[in-house]
């Protein structure tokens, strides 16, 4: 059993299955990880969804870099869930440019005001994660 300390810190790490091995039966989560509150809330929501076994966060930068295994993961994913911090939809555009299917996408800034800070609230992370679970039927 893992113990949690500060946000993101787990003393006994939960070992995740490899994306490539589970993608076919798993909701893959792609996140922009933008350097503003909404990007970081989206990131933390993706981490939370992964820890709750609602999906598996995967490396969207690898898609942008043209990594073949990651392109295949997006191709065979049960669902591609995309979390964008704001209306620029950077994460969605990465998948669109790679011609991969998007099953659900969210723009966090539609629900929370975008601010130039990396300080975020756990309540906002939970709100966005719960919204994704409901809307994407995870
Ligand atoms: S979608 Fe918005 S928050 Fe995310 S990386 Fe792009 S500009 Fe930054």
């Amino acid at each position: 059993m893992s113990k949690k300390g500060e946000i993101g810190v787990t003393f006994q790490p939960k070992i995740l299955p490899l994306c490539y091995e589970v993608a076919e039966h798993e909701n893959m989560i792609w996140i922009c990880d933008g350097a503003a509150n909404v990007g970081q809330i989206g990131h933390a929501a993706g981490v939370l969804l992964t820890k709750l076994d609602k999906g598996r966060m995967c490396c969207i930068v690898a898609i942008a870099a043209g990594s073949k295994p990651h392109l295949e993961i997006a191709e065979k994913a049960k669902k591609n869930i995309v979390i964008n911090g704001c209306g620029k939809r950077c994460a969605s555009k990465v998948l669109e440019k790679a011609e991969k299917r998007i099953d659900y996408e969210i723009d966090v800034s539609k629900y929370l005001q975008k601010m130039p800070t990396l300080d975020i609230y756990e309540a906002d992370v939970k709100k966005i994660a719960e919204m994704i679970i409901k809307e994407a039927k995870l």
Side-chain angles (χ1 to χ4, degrees), residues 32-36 38-39 84-91 114:
C32 80
D33 198 15
V38 285
N84 298 292
C86 74
K88 291 196 183 300
R89 299 177 61 248
C90 298
K114 185 178 184 182

Side-chain angles (χ1 to χ4, degrees), residues 33-94:
D33 198 15
N37 66 328
V38 285
Q40 293 305 299
I41 288 166
H43 172 87
V47 170
L48 181 57
L49 291 171
T50 302
K51 288 185 175 178
L52 292 172
D53 294 324
K54 295 292 182 183
R56 169 71 159 92
M57 184 177 155
C58 197
C59 307
I60 195 161
V61 179
I63 298 274
S67 163
K68 198 164 173 277
H70 291 84
L71 288 164
E72 285 173 12
I73 288 165
E75 186 66 37
K76 66 182 184 178
K78 180 180 160 196
K79 281 187 188 175
N80 284 316
I81 307 297
V82 185
I83 307 178
N84 298 292
C86 74
K88 291 196 183 300
R89 299 177 61 248
C90 298
S92 292
K93 285 175 186 169
V94 167

Side-chain angles (χ1 to χ4, degrees), residues 15-32:
I15 304 301
L16 302 171
L18 296 176
C19 293
Y20 194 83
E21 289 175 2
V22 296
E24 224 169 330
H25 310 285
E26 186 60 280
N27 303 311
M28 302 311 295
I29 302 173
W30 310 95
I31 311 166
C32 80

